[in-house]
Amino acid sequence: MNFTRRLVMKGAAVAAVSIGTETACTAAPVPASAGARTVQDIATDEAFWRPIAAQYDVTPDVVNFENGYWGLMAKPVMEAFIRNTEKVNRNNSWYARRDYYAEIQPIHARIADFLGAGADEIVFTRNATESLQALVGGYNLLKPGDAVMYADLDYDSIQTAMATKAEQEGASVVRIDIPEPVTHDQLIDTYRQALEANPKVRLLLLTHISHRTGLMIPVREIVEMARGFGVDCIVDAAHSWGQTDFRMEDLGADFVGFNLHKWIGAPIGAGLIYIRQDRLADISPDISERPEGVGTIYHRIHTGTTNFATFLTLKDALDFHELVGPARKAARVSYLRDLWAEEMRGDDRIEILTPSDPRLHAAITSFRFKGKTSVDDNKAIVNALVEKHGIFTVHRSDVAKGACIRVTPTLYNTPDQCMQLVRALRSLLSDA
């Protein structure tokens, strides 16, 4: 799809600050010219971001800082999804059985290339949970007496999947708590010490960006260290791809589950599995698949009929993602996060759970009021933010040191809204 000025300029006011001055008028990635501004400079330029924010049709009912659930489609992506839905619905099986495969293959290849993976190393799923369930459930190297390991910040259902896998294979479970607060080096040391203390561990779950607190761990360093202990890692990248800018070599992992409907901006119902080609045999085929020999990555998931229009629209989501620019997008959401989180960090009445170190966070950051560690405490704060200040967030539970509240800005949020959050938090703290 060619995103012309129709995409970035609607009306004279927007035309005055056209994104076209900073980007090409197509969906192709924008090369940085010599002397161009840094992504950090662009992250603070409201004239650059206003026309991008205008591409999101956002409810005026609240200030939505709960963008970790899933990501809004930008208007051109929504328009493409509607067209694709109409096409699939109109042509039905006549289309699906004759033309869909030919249309989805170049999209599949483009996604793989954008991620830095081989086309034979990825397969689409409906979400990261489904991807990770297939990886954990299919992992076939555990033996009786081995152990699996996960942390308090990992995703609930995948913790359960790891425990269930251990039970099925006669293995044990090691659960660790991530220190709070924590530094980059402390994170690596935490995993090193845990692996040294538990030499039977053979499978480790790592979450690139935690859905609970937003902590971004140094995946590559931990994966490489774990290999030295003879431990395989399954990486949960549900929240990271698109929120931060990376390719597969930056993770260095063999097994990864991704979402495409969070930060890449695709319609709901799109994820993918990555399995490094030389590790394919270590993930068994889905129970509904019986290929001869090892088979292909396509044999590792069997979902039945999925939403054809969702996957056709991946092309348009990636077009828009590349138009904005992955590095610029990552810098912008991190900037918005810093506006409220670093402003509040000096207040001794509140705990900001994600470190200020830019290596350890992206957009998501959680907080708790000191002493307010129960789920009910944090639900009450979430409700007060909505009812008194019109700001929507979400509580998160099962963090080792207590429940918290997650704040997730995205491209349609503004600096003014971040400061509105600061004022709201200070007001609630004064009333406490």
Side-chain angles (χ1 to χ4, degrees):
M1 180 178 183
N2 185 356
F3 291 116
T4 62
R5 291 181 183 270
R6 177 185 63 81
L7 182 149
V8 295
M9 300 196 311
K10 293 197 174 182
V14 175
V17 291
S18 168
I19 189 175
T21 64
E22 291 291 345
T23 70
C25 292
T26 72
V30 183
S33 60
R37 293 184 299 164
T38 67
V39 293
Q40 287 75 25
D41 290 336
I42 294 172
T44 66
D45 182 357
E46 298 311 304
F48 179 85
W49 292 103
R50 275 192 294 272
I52 295 174
Q55 295 307 308
Y56 294 91
D57 185 12
V58 183
T59 176
D61 296 343
V62 294
V63 174
N64 187 6
F65 278 126
E66 203 328 55
N67 296 294
Y69 199 171
W70 78 87
L72 263 66
M73 287 179 277
K75 290 177 184 178
V77 181
M78 173 67 85
E79 291 166 2
F81 182 52
I82 292 170
R83 289 195 305 272
N84 286 327
T85 300
E86 290 172 342
K87 178 176 75 171
V88 171
N89 192 63
R90 179 176 61 250
N91 295 320
N92 195 256
S93 54
W94 174 248
Y95 165 77
R97 295 195 183 279
R98 296 172 68 256
D99 300 325
Y100 175 72
Y101 183 79
E103 286 196 35
I104 201 63
Q105 284 308 296
I107 296 172
H108 177 274
R110 181 180 169 198
I111 293 282
D113 183 66
F114 184 72
L115 185 58
D120 58 351
E121 293 180 317
I122 70 164
V123 61
F124 292 143
T125 64
R126 291 173 292 193
N127 49 60
T129 299
E130 185 173 70
S131 301
L132 293 161
Q133 287 169 337
L135 290 169
V136 173
Y139 184 77
N140 57 33
L141 298 182
L142 279 180
K143 303 184 300 295
D146 288 343
V148 303
M149 181 185 288
Y150 54 79
D152 63 319
L153 298 188
D154 294 323
Y155 194 62
D156 316 56
S157 63
I158 309 307
Q159 290 187 32
T160 302
M162 292 282 284
T164 300
K165 182 66 176 179
E167 181 181 330
Q168 290 172 342
E169 303 299 337
S172 58
V173 173
V174 178
R175 182 185 184 274
I176 65 173
D177 295 337
I178 301 299
E180 182 191 304
V182 70
T183 67
H184 179 275
D185 291 347
Q186 286 172 338
L187 271 169
I188 297 172
D189 286 342
T190 295
Y191 280 98
R192 178 183 292 109
Q193 292 169 16
L195 291 172
E196 287 173 345
N198 297 278
K200 293 183 179 180
V201 170
R202 289 294 172 264
L203 183 64
L204 172 62
L205 176 63
L206 297 174
T207 301
H208 193 188
I209 293 181
S210 171
H211 79 293
R212 301 184 195 278
T213 67
L215 181 68
M216 182 163 63
I217 68 172
V219 166
R220 185 179 185 89
E221 291 93 329
I222 297 171
V223 166
E224 291 177 351
M225 178 184 65
R227 284 197 184 106
F229 286 92
V231 175
D232 280 326
C233 297
I234 291 176
V235 176
D236 176 352
H239 278 277
S240 56
W241 196 35
Q243 184 178 170
T244 188
D245 184 24
F246 66 89
R247 286 166 63 84
M248 279 311 307
E249 63 262 28
D250 300 314
L251 297 184
D254 298 327
F255 312 113
V256 190
F258 292 92
N259 266 319
L260 295 167
H261 58 227
K262 289 187 185 288
W263 296 91
I264 298 297
I268 293 173
L272 66 84
I273 295 170
Y274 168 85
I275 303 174
R276 193 181 301 277
Q277 179 57 36
D278 61 3
R279 298 300 309 275
L280 184 62
D282 299 327
I283 304 295
S284 295
D286 184 272
I287 59 173
S288 295
E289 297 282 350
R290 287 187 174 177
E292 291 188 10
V294 172
T296 71
I297 193 169
Y298 293 98
H299 294 105
R300 271 60 191 174
I301 190 76
H302 190 116
T303 58
T305 305
T306 54
N307 190 331
F308 302 104
T310 290
F311 292 103
L312 291 172
T313 309
L314 292 179
K315 170 188 178 297
D316 306 274
L318 196 57
D319 283 347
F320 191 82
H321 180 66
E322 289 191 304
L323 174 66
V324 175
R328 290 195 293 266
K329 185 174 180 179
R332 174 63 172 182
V333 296
S334 183
Y335 164 70
L336 293 172
R337 174 263 181 209
D338 286 350
L339 286 175
W340 78 267
E342 298 311 312
E343 179 70 19
M344 294 302 302
R345 192 179 295 279
D347 192 321
D348 61 9
R349 300 170 296 174
I350 192 171
E351 297 171 346
I352 304 299
L353 305 189
T354 306
S356 57
D357 185 340
R359 296 174 296 176
L360 301 182
H361 73 79
I364 299 173
T365 287
S366 293
F367 70 88
R368 72 170 71 92
F369 289 176
K370 283 198 173 174
K372 302 293 186 181
T373 58
S374 74
V375 169
D376 286 344
D377 285 338
N378 284 274
K379 282 183 176 179
I381 296 168
V382 167
N383 289 337
L385 281 170
V386 169
E387 293 166 5
K388 296 182 179 181
H389 301 280
I391 295 173
F392 185 54
T393 57
V394 65
H395 83 280
R396 298 287 81 179
S397 60
D398 297 320
V399 180
K401 288 196 174 181
C404 56
I405 296 165
R406 186 177 78 187
V407 177
T408 311
T410 193
L411 296 185
Y412 60 71
N413 292 121
T414 67
D416 285 346
Q417 290 174 338
C418 294
M419 298 316 296
Q420 182 180 340
L421 174 61
V422 168
R423 293 190 295 272
L425 292 174
R426 286 175 174 161
S427 174
L428 294 181
L429 286 164
S430 296
D431 294 341

